[in-house]
Amino acid sequence: MIRFASLGSGSSGNALLVESGATRLLVDCGFSLRETAARLNRLGVTPGDLTGLLVTHEHSDHIGGVFRLARRYGLPVWLTYGTLMAAGAAADGADCRVIDSHDPLAVNDLEVLPYPVPHDAREPVQYVFSDGALRLGVLTDAGEATAHLRAMLSGCHGLVLECNHDARMLAESAYPPALKRRIAGRYGHLENQAAADLLASIDASRLQHLVAAHLSEHNNLPELAARVLAAAVNCEEGWVGVADQAAGFAWRQLG
Ligand SMILES: [Zn+2]
Ligand SMILES: [Zn+2]
């Protein structure tokens, strides 16, 4: 059995909790120590209950709170060499363990399968989690879908999938042209329709949970993301979850 929940998702901070048995991994932490403890508390978890942290990349909405949390509670941090280099002195004193972006690692009850993604960071990865029977795929912060990424997410029982922006809302926004190009570019963020196209191109037949994540506060709406994902897998719009910046989302269970 795998359970997962979000402490918050979006450009102001991300953290996703994945649990199997007594193993609890936090994927990214873009929140302060105090904020992280408060958000974990909503899910019935204390920082001391965590087994460790996994980092996707060095952008502050993902890594901002990682090392302080790790040092305070003596937690290991798994991350790629590129991410560690990019983190620099911020990582000093933390128990950092370098992973290869293609090598699975076992953390007690969870198998963690990292995979590289196109994004404007040094060595960004995303993760698939497995308890041996069930698979949870996580993808945020990817500029475009790749064949490898599709293969990793295909056949998963749960998906947390980036729906960063609505292409038209971004184009019509007040963002400066360079920022618009960065976000919409190959090393930026997945827009709603690109996420839906990705979903339609993989085996989604086992999906028990589908959650849209990392929504832009300015250039997206939860109902737009839910609508396009629902259309891609032919389900009710209300069945698609949407991760919120403030509230994250409550525990969801695969099994
Ligand atoms: Zn991000
Ligand atoms: Zn990023």
Side-chain angles (χ1 to χ4, degrees):
M1 185 187 97
I2 294 180
R3 288 203 304 168
F4 61 106
S6 169
L7 279 62
S9 177
S11 55
S12 301
N14 296 274
L16 179 79
L17 191 53
V18 182
E19 178 190 282
S20 180
T23 307
R24 269 170 228 98
L25 295 173
L26 196 62
V27 182
D28 293 331
C29 184
F31 303 108
S32 70
L33 261 186
R34 198 173 148 173
E35 189 66 23
T36 302
R39 288 172 184 245
L40 281 171
N41 187 52
R42 298 196 300 228
L43 299 165
V45 174
T46 67
D49 296 331
L50 297 175
T51 309
L53 292 126
L54 291 161
V55 183
T56 59
H57 65 297
E58 69 272 23
H59 291 160
S60 61
D61 54 321
H62 299 265
I63 211 171
V66 164
F67 301 112
R68 212 167 294 133
L69 183 69
R71 280 191 295 266
R72 174 71 66 91
Y73 296 96
L75 302 169
V77 180
W78 287 276
L79 74 184
T80 63
Y81 181 71
T83 303
L84 178 62
M85 289 300 105
D92 287 355
D95 175 8
C96 292
R97 305 179 185 187
V98 170
I99 59 168
D100 184 279
S101 60
H102 288 283
D103 285 350
L105 62 142
V107 182
N108 303 340
D109 298 317
L110 275 169
E111 189 186 15
V112 181
L113 302 103
Y115 63 97
V117 293
H119 189 55
D120 50 5
R122 280 283 280 280
E123 195 184 356
V125 288
Q126 294 286 328
Y127 297 99
V128 172
F129 298 89
S130 173
D131 66 352
L134 299 157
R135 283 161 66 95
L136 169 67
V138 177
L139 176 68
T140 65
D141 299 76
E144 64 177 7
T146 61
H148 182 55
L149 173 165
R150 285 195 191 91
M152 291 300 293
L153 297 179
S154 203
C156 282
H157 302 79
L159 280 178
V160 176
L161 188 58
E162 169 164 57
C163 284
N164 182 262
H165 57 280
D166 172 78
R168 205 176 69 189
M169 284 180 77
L170 177 66
E172 291 173 355
S173 75
Y175 280 21
L179 182 57
K180 287 183 186 179
R181 279 195 299 273
R182 192 232 135 199
I183 293 170
R186 293 182 61 197
Y187 298 94
H189 291 278
L190 275 189
E191 54 110 356
N192 292 345
Q193 192 54 53
D197 292 347
L198 160 64
L199 196 54
S201 74
I202 62 175
D203 173 10
S205 65
R206 300 185 186 98
L207 269 190
Q208 299 173 7
H209 288 280
L210 173 62
V211 185
H214 213 302
L215 271 71
S216 165
E217 281 178 69
H218 305 290
N219 302 316
N220 209 350
L221 294 168
E223 52 269 33
L224 288 179
R227 192 179 306 153
V228 292
L229 291 193
V233 289
N234 202 14
C235 72
E236 294 285 323
E237 225 173 283
W239 182 77
V240 179
V242 180
D244 185 75
Q245 180 69 79
F249 59 81
W251 285 112
R252 287 172 174 249
Q253 186 174 319
L254 304 179

